């Protein structure tokens, strides 16, 4: 599947946009039928792991993620965070970039989702739905 790309501008300062977008548990507030659980002592920093479980009852899939790089935004440049997807069904990565833009900020989210097995026929649907869903998550997290 081709990586997803989402670009967004916000009136929030970069540090506040970063704080909201890296509050991993709040992402589930904007994804239907999803609950996020942090599985390490802290959700912050390299090595933090969390699981986004989406589904109903036994019909659910876990998106297991680990923070493998994290550099908050500063006057020296934009913040960047990279997540590795380490689940048995969902593989790939996600990257988040947050930088200053005037008195506000910009956000770029890239995500490469790979599903276990031969799901090439589903790739266009997964990409389109993923782009719409993650754009909504970014908008809503930044809105409050």
């Amino acid at each position: 599947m081709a990586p997803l790309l989402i670009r967004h501008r916000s009136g929030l300062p970069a540090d506040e946009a970063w704080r909201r977008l890296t509050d991993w548990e709040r992402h589930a507030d904007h994804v239907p039928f999803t609950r996020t659980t942090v599985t390490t002592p802290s959700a912050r920093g390299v090595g933090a792991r969390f699981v986004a479980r989406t589904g109903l009852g036994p019909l659910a899939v876990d998106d297991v993620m680990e923070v493998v790089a994290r550099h908050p935004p500063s006057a020296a440049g934009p913040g960047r965070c990279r997540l590795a997807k380490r689940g048995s069904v969902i593989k790939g990565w996600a990257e988040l970039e947050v930088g200053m833009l005037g008195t506000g900020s910009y956000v770029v989210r890239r995500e490469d989702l790979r599903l276990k097995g031969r799901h090439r026929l589903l790739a266009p649907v997964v990409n389109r739905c993923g782009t719409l869903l993650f754009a909504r998550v970014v908008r809503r997290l930044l809105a409050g």
Side-chain angles (χ1 to χ4, degrees):
M1 289 186 249
L4 310 175
L5 176 64
I6 295 151
R7 296 176 190 273
H8 188 79
R9 292 181 181 199
S10 172
L12 294 172
D15 59 341
E16 177 62 14
W18 175 267
R19 185 189 68 73
R20 291 182 186 196
L21 292 168
T22 59
D23 184 348
W24 309 120
E25 291 174 305
R26 287 206 53 235
H27 282 239
D29 294 346
H30 308 290
V31 181
F33 308 111
T34 299
R35 176 178 34 114
T36 301
T37 305
V38 175
T39 59
T40 51
S42 172
R44 303 283 181 250
V46 172
R49 290 178 66 104
F50 52 96
V51 179
R53 183 173 185 82
T54 301
L56 296 172
L59 300 175
V61 64
D62 290 339
D63 187 0
V64 180
M65 292 169 269
E66 180 179 353
V67 177
V68 295
R70 184 179 186 277
H71 307 283
S74 68
R80 290 192 173 87
C81 183
R82 184 172 175 98
L83 305 171
K85 295 179 170 284
R86 303 201 187 280
S88 60
V89 176
I90 301 173
K91 301 285 188 185
W93 51 265
E95 291 179 339
L96 180 64
E97 178 180 328
V98 178
M100 292 182 244
L101 183 65
T103 58
S105 58
Y106 72 88
V107 173
V108 179
R109 181 178 174 138
R110 297 171 187 88
E111 187 142 356
D112 181 39
L113 295 170
R114 286 178 271 127
L115 303 176
K116 181 180 177 182
R118 300 179 186 264
H119 298 286
R120 289 189 190 126
L121 294 175
L122 295 176
V125 173
V126 170
N127 280 353
R128 182 67 179 144
C129 291
T131 299
L132 292 172
L133 177 68
F134 293 128
R136 179 176 110 166
V137 169
V138 167
R139 279 193 319 273
R140 289 185 174 183
L141 285 171
L142 294 175

